[in-house]
Amino acid sequence: MAVIDSYRAVRERVDEAARRAGRDPSEVALLPVSKFHPVETVRELLDAGVGIFGENRLQELETKKLQVPEARFAMIGNVQRNKARLVVEHAAELHSLDSLRLASTLHHRLLDAGRRLPVLIQVNTSEEPQKSGIAPQDAVGFARSIREYSGLDVQGLMTMAVHSPDQQRVAACFERLREVQAELRDEVPELHWDELSMGMSGDYELAIQHGSTMVRIGTAIFGPRPATDS
Ligand SMILES: *Cc1c(COP(=O)(O)O)cnc(C)c1O
């Protein structure tokens, strides 16, 4: 099947999941995650009207951006502070902000570049030590610390749920993110918290049921990645 057909099939399932949850399908964005897949697949979707793609490694994001400048890329993976420049130069958005030092560095570079960067704060809702993201209980303090960083255009939160066949454990991660969102709306109302990026190929319908406003889909659109991937 052509990638665009897979994309449309997933979009259809996203719409159906939204309707089942009593939600308007237009409330749920679909971010295709093109990491590890060749730039031709990005071009194919771009030609069909898809504008933004998720990447989790900055080197790959930069390479693709230089090859397809008309496409926009959201960085969804871990960023080291010394790579902040690449984010500012090549990324349209950052969905994985979880470090104050990175936030500060980005802010200053964004001011220099004269642009703002839409960001999501990544929260480690499964509390697995190997996962990225700030701890849920640190979210308010984190948000207060970056409140003054005007280069960052905070839009909401991102999480990766626990990888488990137990739907209740997965759903608990999504619910945890919503609790953090509610707390942030009360405690840090100066920033925007509407966006909830949660749900991947294996759990996006459940995430939509639990209030996701953006699902990040790789495998279900592009097929399997090499086994080396995280
Ligand atoms: C790779 C990746 C995805 C997509 O994963 P699939 O299971 O292939 O849909 C989503 N979010 C992040 C942060 C990723 O790194």
Side-chain angles (χ1 to χ4, degrees):
M1 195 169 17
V3 172
I4 185 60
D5 295 325
S6 305
Y7 174 87
R8 289 193 176 121
V10 170
R11 181 67 244 186
E12 192 50 46
R13 287 183 62 178
V14 166
D15 292 357
E16 281 163 18
R19 284 189 213 103
R20 273 200 304 279
R23 303 179 57 201
D24 187 330
S26 68
E27 289 172 18
V28 187
L30 169 56
L31 179 71
V33 177
S34 50
K35 66 184 187 195
F36 288 87
H37 290 282
V39 73
E40 288 69 34
T41 57
V42 168
R43 242 185 227 114
E44 182 182 341
L45 291 187
L46 188 77
D47 289 345
V50 178
I52 185 160
F53 301 85
E55 288 286 337
N56 76 336
R57 297 183 307 176
L58 274 173
Q59 201 59 64
E60 187 173 345
L61 187 153
E62 177 184 29
T63 304
K64 284 180 176 155
K65 178 66 185 172
L66 294 175
Q67 290 179 296
V68 194
E70 321 88 272
R72 300 163 69 242
F73 292 92
M75 179 59 187
I76 62 173
N78 185 53
V79 177
Q80 286 171 326
R81 195 177 59 100
N82 61 0
K83 298 281 167 59
R85 181 183 61 81
L86 290 177
V87 174
V88 173
E89 278 181 24
H90 302 296
E93 303 181 358
L94 173 66
H95 295 180
S96 47
L97 183 64
D98 68 353
S99 139
L100 289 180
R101 292 180 68 214
L102 174 64
S104 161
T105 305
L106 281 171
H107 165 62
H108 290 104
R109 286 189 174 275
L110 287 159
L111 289 189
D112 289 344
R115 68 171 285 218
R116 299 188 80 208
L117 179 72
V119 300
L120 304 179
I121 297 169
Q122 185 173 357
V123 180
N124 183 356
T125 51
S126 69
E127 306 201 42
E128 296 164 291
Q130 75 276 18
K131 281 232 169 91
S132 303
I134 61 169
Q137 61 271 19
D138 295 340
V140 169
F142 187 92
R144 286 193 177 124
S145 303
I146 66 168
R147 188 161 49 182
E148 308 302 331
Y149 293 160
S150 55
L152 303 177
D153 177 12
V154 178
Q155 303 274 327
L157 305 172
M158 185 273 250
T159 199
M160 291 175 86
V162 65
H163 186 73
S164 164
D166 181 347
Q167 300 276 290
Q168 284 182 352
R169 286 185 64 210
V170 177
C173 294
F174 300 145
E175 284 303 315
R176 193 80 184 87
L177 198 68
R178 274 169 75 142
E179 287 165 20
V180 172
Q181 180 191 44
E183 205 184 342
L184 287 166
R185 280 180 166 152
D186 283 347
E187 302 288 336
V188 193
E190 303 87 343
L191 300 178
H192 295 282
W193 300 110
D194 288 348
E195 201 78 75
L196 287 183
S197 175
M198 53 189 201
M200 307 172 29
S201 291
D203 58 15
Y204 68 93
E205 288 165 305
L206 189 65
I208 291 166
Q209 194 182 320
H210 289 274
S212 172
T213 64
M214 183 189 297
V215 293
R216 309 176 306 270
I217 309 292
T219 314
I221 294 175
F222 296 98
R225 294 181 290 272
T228 53
D229 175 37
S230 55

